[in-house]
Amino acid sequence: MTVISGPEITRYVEQVRAALADLPPAVRDELLEDLPEHLAEIAAEGEGPLADRLGSPAAYAAELRAAANVPVKGPAPNLDDRIAGVVRRTRGQIKAADTRLGPLIGYSQVSDFLRLLRPAWWVLRGYLAAMLVAFFVNGGSLSLVPIVDSTIFGTLFLIVAFVVGSIWLGRRGSDRLGRWQRRGLHAAGIVVAVFGFVAFVDSDPPPTYYQPTYSDPYSEVRDVYVYDEQGRLIQNARLLDQDGRPIRLGHAWCEEAMRAEIEGSPKRTYPYCPEGAPIKPFSTVPEAPSVPPTPTPVPSEAAPTDPAPTGPDPSPTATADPSPATPDVPEPTATG
């Protein structure tokens, strides 16, 4: 582990001062006025030599010249120096925003608040890592729940193992991991965060719209047979709706009806084909001739009628004779 010491900062400042030796002393002193304090802050932020983090002293001096609109002396900095300058400027801008936005959330810096959220991030990082492993194990099946082998035991074991491992790495990272190990851990965190965002977006199902389906229950009807209450088939029946419009169902399917259809005189009454009636044998009801109703005569004057007698019957009532009747016997004559 490399620790930046005071002599290294002093040596870096002297090398930068040597690179600016062609400038007037007043200009050079003005450019190097806050450099020791700036280097001390950078040294406190992390580990590693200043030359690796800020670039060579010559490149740093060239950037100071450019910032002060002073002509650059010597060759232009190489690609590594330019990258280091971009990184340094980016860090400065992030640090300024960190300090500027901190009071808005009640902290001196935003980073102070983010440090309090690190345990929550460790748990979330472990869960997202478990989702990523389940994604590859299940053959690319994306799910917000890292299911393995379709068992709850495997799912819980995977989640607990990765969450505990993520917490362990989070607690260990600040003290025992090297620079490249920390960078690798940060890169892995970015990968699982992007994966979790994509999984969350894809898991939201698209809106579904109800599309009603219409089915005609009479699409398979070929013919219509009408029966009366005695079970007799009624021929030449017509079907009308409530507005008097004819109801057309089926189509001619027997030979006679098809021939009439071809000849241009299709049958408009039901059934089209009586021989196909579902109830057999059947009797048909012919159409009744239209006979006008016979008017009923109304009598002009009712005939008077005699009232029935209410008195006793004047005719005598025969009574039975209690004595037996004697038969008539003819008298004998002289001639015997």
Side-chain angles (χ1 to χ4, degrees), residues 148-205:
V148 178
D149 296 334
S150 301
T151 59
I152 188 172
F153 177 77
T155 301
L156 291 177
F157 177 79
L158 183 66
I159 295 175
V160 171
F162 274 88
V163 169
V164 172
S166 177
I167 295 174
W168 181 80
L169 288 175
R171 293 176 58 87
R172 182 184 176 89
S174 59
D175 299 330
R176 302 181 183 180
L177 295 180
R179 181 178 61 178
W180 292 106
Q181 292 175 339
R182 289 198 305 272
R183 291 182 179 180
L185 184 61
H186 295 162
I190 294 174
V191 170
V192 297
V194 173
F195 172 78
F197 176 78
V198 174
F200 178 79
V201 172
D202 290 347
S203 64
D204 188 13

Side-chain angles (χ1 to χ4, degrees), residues 6 19 47 60 72 74 90 112 154 159 188 192 209 238 251-252 257 273 299 328:
E47 301 173 356
Y60 194 87
V72 180
T90 304
D112 295 338
I159 295 175
V192 297
Y209 301 96
R238 297 179 181 273
H251 59 277
C273 306
D328 292 338

Side-chain angles (χ1 to χ4, degrees), residues 294-309:
T294 303
T296 303
V298 179
S300 59
E301 184 178 357
T305 57
D306 295 336

Side-chain angles (χ1 to χ4, degrees), residues 21 44 46 49 83 131 140 145 150 154 160 188 195 212 221 223 252 256-257 262 277 323 332:
I83 294 176
M131 285 179 52
V145 179
S150 301
V160 171
F195 172 78
V221 175
D223 208 342
E256 180 181 355
I262 295 174
S323 61

Side-chain angles (χ1 to χ4, degrees), residues 19 26 31 47 51 78 83 99 118 130 159 240 269 289 295 300 313 321 324 331:
L31 293 178
E47 301 173 356
N78 55 22
I83 294 176
T99 306
R118 283 188 299 180
I159 295 175
L240 304 176
T269 57
S300 59
D313 189 359
D321 190 1
E331 293 182 0

